[in-house]
């Protein structure tokens, strides 16, 4: 068991095959302090556990959380699309609050940046009532493609509980820069997602997407400038370990390797306190 001040969360995508109660048990056994719960699937194809609709599954998950002492760092994934009505997210926000989550992962899938910004503002207002902080995650294949655009939208939205989610994979593959990250308001960086990625940035966006969902590396096993990235983030910022990989078949082993390699990297950088 790792005992450190910095919260470490097991992201859903790392162990997407596990039902939430089992995921909580794995997180507890492998040394995490938190988990992330996927309340809305990222794609229509992925296997999904319907926590919002299934009250019994919610009760089982809440029981495991209480029994293990594991917390919920974030809930995901709320996509802002052209026809999004933020009122439709009310139940998801309510369930997130029921789980004691702190952060909400938001994706921007609307080419109209002004409308996307307005929806992000409204989502922040609705989330405020539940004590939740929406974080806009930039991903190179979405309409919020890089750090600079995410910062622009969050700044324009002007909400105190709005933030930007930095994922090491997307930071690398979007060509975002450390000097840009150094200028981000620290209060906007409520948590970050950590992984590694091998090789140079592909020219093909479909290949980037495939790598993001199937071929990430454990921290320190790839070519990202993780030392530079981590040193630009606020001290002891919670880290969500989002590392989908087909190289490790067993989900418990996957979770264990992720956290062991993350702590090893942080220790080498003297950032493990």
């Amino acid at each position: 068991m790792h005992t450190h001040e910095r919260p470490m969360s097991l992201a859903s995508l790392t162990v997407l095959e596990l039902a939430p109660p089992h995921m909580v048990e794995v997180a507890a056994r492998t040394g995490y302090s938190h988990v992330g719960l996927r309340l809305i699937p990222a794609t229509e194809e992925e296997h999904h556990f319907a926590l919002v609709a299934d009250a019994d599954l919610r009760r089982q998950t809440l029981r495991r959380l209480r029994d293990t002492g594991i917390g919920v760092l974030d809930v995901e994934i709320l996509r802002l699309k052209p026809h999004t009505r933020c009122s439709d997210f009310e139940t998801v926000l309510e369930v997130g609050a029921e789980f004691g989550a702190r952060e909400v992962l938001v994706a921007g899938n609307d080419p109209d940046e002004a409308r996307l910004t307005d929806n992000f503002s409204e989502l922040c207002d609705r989330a405020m009532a539940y004590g939740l902080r929406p974080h806009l995650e930039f991903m190179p294949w979405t309409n919020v493609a890089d750090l600079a655009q995410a910062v622009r939208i969050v700044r324009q939205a002007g909400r105190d509980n709005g933030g930007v989610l930095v994922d090491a994979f997307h930071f690398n593959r979007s060509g975002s820069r450390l000097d840009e990250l150094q200028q981000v308001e620290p209060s906007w960086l409520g948590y970050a997602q950590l992984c590694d990625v091998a090789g140079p940035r592909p020219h093909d966006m479909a290949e980037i997407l495939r790598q993001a969902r199937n071929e990430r590396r454990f921290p320190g096993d790839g070519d990202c400038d993780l030392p530079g990235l981590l040193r630009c983030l606020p001290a002891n910022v919670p880290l969500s370990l989002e590392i989908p990989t087909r190289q490790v078949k067993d989900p418990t082993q996957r979770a264990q390797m992720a956290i062991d390699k993350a702590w090893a990297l942080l220790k080498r950088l003297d950032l493990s306190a």
Side-chain angles (χ1 to χ4, degrees), residues 119-242:
N119 276 327
F120 186 74
S121 298
E122 182 182 345
L123 179 61
C124 287
D125 291 342
R126 291 179 178 276
M128 181 75 80
Y130 297 98
L132 294 166
R133 301 190 300 178
H135 276 62
L136 183 60
E137 182 177 14
F138 59 94
M139 308 175 217
W141 59 85
T142 68
N143 299 113
V144 184
D146 57 23
L147 175 62
Q149 188 178 9
V151 167
R152 183 170 68 241
I153 291 168
V154 172
R155 180 180 293 118
Q156 187 66 32
R159 296 301 190 268
D160 289 342
N161 62 330
V164 172
L165 179 57
V166 175
D167 178 315
F169 181 95
H170 304 316
F171 189 87
N172 176 282
R173 287 330 198 204
S174 68
S176 296
R177 304 193 316 270
L178 293 177
D179 64 309
E180 296 173 318
L181 182 55
Q182 287 175 319
Q183 297 170 28
V184 176
E185 174 63 43
S187 65
W188 291 2
L189 302 169
Y191 74 120
Q193 291 182 327
L194 188 66
C195 68
D196 214 329
V197 59
R201 182 183 190 272
H203 296 295
D204 179 23
M205 193 61 72
E207 173 59 14
I208 292 176
L209 181 56
R210 187 195 68 80
Q211 290 179 352
R213 292 180 175 165
N214 300 292
E215 297 294 342
R216 300 195 195 193
R217 298 291 179 88
F218 296 110
D221 287 356
D223 299 302
C224 286
D225 181 9
L226 294 182
L229 181 69
L230 288 163
R231 289 192 172 109
C232 287
L233 295 172
N236 288 332
V237 68
L239 294 176
S240 170
L241 303 187
E242 186 175 75

